[in-house]
Amino acid sequence: MSLPSPFLATALSHEVCIVTGASGEGICLTIARCLLEHGAVGVVICGRREQVLRQSAASLVAECCPAQPERVAYRVCDVRSPDACHRLVEFTVGKYGRLTTVVNGAAGNFLSTARNLSPNGFKTVMEIDVCGTFNMCHAAFKALSSAASAPGSPMSKIVNISATLQYGATHYQVHASAAKAAIDSMTRTLALEWGAHGIRVNGVAPGPIAGTPGLTKLAGGALDAGALEEMVAEVIPLGRMGEKRDIGTVVVFLCCNGSGSAYVSGETIVCDGGAWLWKPAIVEADMVDAISRTLEKKKSKL
Ligand code: HXC
């Protein structure tokens, strides 16, 4: 059960934010919700599916700011397109007068053995995760830096959503592991180059989060969602699956100028209940076995 947020409801009242990959019911829509709950004056969510975005934006307004619907906007944007990222930034600055925060959450993933993964499958995930994160950062640089240079303004922020699967080795994730490792590296390099331009660049690496399409989809029907979550929760040092709000609160911490994060840049905060430190082989083996049987079945149908 989530505890109340330790941050003020006005903590982000300077912030105008873009959150990519926030169309569905994954982590990023909750991140958008947390930004609004802490006073962000504008939050633009983006994704590839207009209808889902429209519904998500409406639910954000209803839950967070029914009297100020103008604080939420949505835009269709495939982050693989640099032009689309530029248009998204232009739209945001046009609507809200500035852009101060970008949360790069757009990602693509599926399970596949390396042997069966096509070069195009690998490339697709790299293009969404790595090129997409770079495209958004690149498109937003000018606006972020200009917002930070206004007198009395705090530094601007980029938060890249990473993962922990690349810290060791994870079955069936050669594409996503490579992509998330590249994102971690990008976080550090951009922090190095853009600190002098008034931009802090950080990341959050979520562990297993309950109720996300990512986890259930990744299981690919090999295990039912409840059984999977139970199995995973048992081996997490903190004894539970993460909640989407666990991640949203870390993002608020990183974006909030008075939270203690004002001197944090180039860091990716792991928020996983200690999960990646402890992956008992027996559970891993059970899961791998169940998933590999499903992948083999799928392959034999092709
Ligand atoms: C093997 C697959 C595949 C699968 C797609 N491909 N799905 N290969 N197994 N299940 C291959 C295709 O065969 C194709 O290669 C290539 O990938 C491109 O597929 P398209 O469907 O044409 O691409 P696109 O429509 O752009 O779809 C992108 C996608 C898709 C990533 C493949 O799954 C998607 O859009 N997903 C929605 C976003 C998403 O997955 N979010 C979850 C994020 S969770 P060929 O050679 O056939 O042309 C996350 C968390 C990470 O990222 C950490 C988890 C622990």
Side-chain angles (χ1 to χ4, degrees):
M1 198 54 59
S2 294
L3 294 169
S5 166
F7 303 113
L8 295 175
T10 53
L12 301 180
S13 57
H14 174 76
E15 307 301 323
V16 173
C17 317
I18 288 175
V19 185
T20 72
S23 49
E25 263 309 316
I27 293 169
C28 293
L29 187 57
T30 297
I31 292 173
R33 200 171 283 136
C34 290
L35 295 171
L36 285 163
E37 285 171 1
H38 291 83
V41 288
V43 173
V44 182
I45 58 170
C46 90
R48 286 179 294 170
R49 295 165 298 159
E50 176 153 24
Q51 202 190 339
V52 184
L53 278 170
R54 192 182 316 121
Q55 284 166 359
S56 297
S59 75
L60 286 177
V61 169
E63 287 164 31
C64 305
C65 50
Q68 298 169 307
E70 69 284 355
R71 287 172 60 203
V72 180
Y74 69 88
R75 254 351 199 208
V76 172
C77 174
D78 186 333
V79 293
R80 288 174 282 194
S81 157
D83 286 347
C85 294
H86 276 284
R87 286 196 296 275
L88 176 63
V89 171
E90 264 170 32
F91 166 80
T92 306
V93 175
K95 184 171 172 69
Y96 296 106
R98 64 179 179 275
L99 170 65
T100 68
T101 296
V102 173
V103 179
N104 285 305
N109 203 1
F110 49 78
L111 294 173
S112 176
T113 60
R115 195 185 51 187
N116 291 333
L117 179 64
S118 73
N120 192 39
F122 184 87
K123 182 167 163 244
T124 300
V125 170
M126 292 301 274
E127 280 178 348
I128 299 172
D129 293 21
V130 185
C131 301
T133 298
F134 178 76
N135 290 341
M136 246 348 281
C137 291
H138 193 256
F141 171 77
K142 239 183 173 166
L144 291 173
S145 150
S146 133
S149 69
S153 294
M155 292 186 79
S156 292
K157 277 76 58 175
I158 292 173
V159 181
N160 295 328
I161 305 303
S162 184
T164 59
L165 47 83
Q166 72 280 15
Y167 296 167
T170 304
H171 276 95
Y172 316 132
Q173 290 284 270
V174 66
H175 42 324
S177 297
K180 295 297 188 181
I183 288 173
D184 290 349
S185 175
M186 203 186 313
T187 296
R188 290 189 289 269
T189 310
L190 294 184
L192 178 71
E193 289 196 17
W194 291 0
H197 297 274
I199 306 169
R200 291 195 286 118
V201 187
N202 290 295
V204 181
I209 304 297
T212 50
L215 190 69
T216 42
K217 192 176 136 194
L218 284 184
L223 296 161
D224 87 49
L228 181 69
E229 291 192 2
E230 228 170 80
M231 202 186 249
V232 172
E234 259 176 42
V235 296
I236 295 174
L238 295 195
R240 65 170 176 93
M241 294 281 293
E243 294 176 16
K244 295 173 197 169
R245 271 182 184 277
D246 289 321
I247 308 304
T249 306
V250 176
V251 174
V252 171
F253 163 73
L254 287 171
C255 294
C256 172
N257 307 299
S259 69
S261 74
Y263 199 48
V264 179
S265 197
E267 181 62 26
T268 295
I269 298 179
V270 176
C271 182
D272 75 339
W276 86 268
L277 300 170
W278 174 241
K279 282 208 239 170
I282 183 73
V283 173
E284 175 83 341
D286 278 358
M287 285 171 64
V288 167
D289 190 45
I291 292 167
S292 61
R293 270 186 275 118
T294 306
L295 289 176
E296 280 308 316
K297 248 190 254 159
K298 273 189 190 159
K299 199 180 136 213
S300 66
K301 279 192 208 143
L302 294 177

